[in-house]
Amino acid sequence: MIICAGEREQFPFALPMGIGLIDTAINLTQRCIMNPPEFILFVGTAGSYGKHEVFDIVESKSAANIENSFFNANAYTPIDNFISTSNNVSRETIINSSNYITTDKELGEYYLSKNIALENMEFYSVLKVAQKFGIPAGGVFIVTNMCDENAHQDFIKNHKEAMNRLTEYMAKRAKGVRE
């Protein structure tokens, strides 16, 4: 099953699940209860903390759920905030998920120091639901912006082109062509 966030990020080949951690978790859980898939593949956009450039396409099976306040010692969490469905985590690109978009470039350095390269609002909940149901899962992301003060404007500016490129990439992937 191929899924996406929805609203402005919809693809003809993917089922929309909702924007953010909560809506995605609720809707994907409901879908898995009613009709469990053999595999879940999430497709969407991501912001880069600096390791990847705009329009890079990245595949991942690892996600974290870290809020920016973690890095200035103003928060802690009792939950395990990392999940991976990969057999080789050391080679994985870790995607951070939060309901907030990072707009402080300096915070990106903290994420990079934890080997976290990108952020996408939904991916952590996708992997968490997949884990709960014992379903293999992964994600394919295209970078639309850097995580800096221009994050939102660059996302808007690059979104249409990113959606076209990701759609094209997925069509090639479906035919077995690897870039």
Side-chain angles (χ1 to χ4, degrees):
M1 174 171 61
I2 302 174
I3 62 172
C4 60
E7 288 189 26
R8 111 178 301 175
E9 277 191 30
Q10 290 195 47
F11 301 89
F13 54 83
L15 296 168
M17 289 294 135
I19 297 173
L21 294 165
I22 306 305
D23 286 349
T24 299
I26 291 168
N27 294 327
L28 184 55
T29 296
Q30 185 177 33
R31 175 71 63 168
C32 289
I33 288 170
M34 293 174 20
N35 189 15
E38 292 180 29
F39 187 86
I40 299 169
L41 181 66
F42 179 85
V43 293
T45 61
S48 173
Y49 295 121
K51 182 177 178 182
H52 296 281
E53 299 300 320
V54 171
F55 301 129
D56 282 356
I57 295 178
V58 178
E59 297 190 20
S60 179
K61 293 182 177 183
S62 299
N65 175 222
I66 298 175
E67 300 296 336
N68 290 337
S69 62
F70 173 80
F71 294 115
N72 62 15
N74 286 331
Y76 76 95
T77 181
I79 67 168
D80 182 8
N81 59 0
F82 174 78
I83 187 168
S84 182
T85 61
S86 174
N87 293 330
N88 192 355
V89 177
S90 65
R91 298 189 61 122
E92 275 293 304
T93 298
I94 301 171
I95 313 296
N96 189 56
S97 294
S98 169
N99 284 322
Y100 294 88
I101 305 302
T102 303
T103 58
D104 182 344
K105 186 176 181 165
E106 290 181 30
L107 284 172
E109 297 298 321
Y110 292 107
Y111 286 99
L112 290 171
S113 74
K114 301 285 185 193
N115 199 32
I116 300 170
L118 301 173
E119 69 179 23
N120 166 275
M121 292 176 68
E122 296 79 24
F123 194 51
Y124 180 82
S125 58
V126 170
L127 291 187
K128 200 70 173 165
V129 170
Q131 179 186 52
K132 181 71 175 173
F133 287 95
I135 301 168
V140 180
F141 304 90
I142 187 161
V143 176
T144 53
N145 58 275
M146 304 309 285
C147 295
D148 60 18
E149 65 278 356
N150 299 315
H152 184 67
Q153 297 92 312
D154 289 344
F155 170 80
I156 298 296
K157 179 178 78 176
N158 297 324
H159 188 261
K160 184 176 180 181
E161 178 68 20
M163 296 293 286
N164 290 338
R165 288 184 187 206
L166 188 53
T167 299
E168 190 176 294
Y169 176 86
M170 291 302 294
K172 288 179 183 175
R173 194 174 189 263
K175 293 177 183 175
V177 177
R178 288 290 217 187
E179 294 183 354

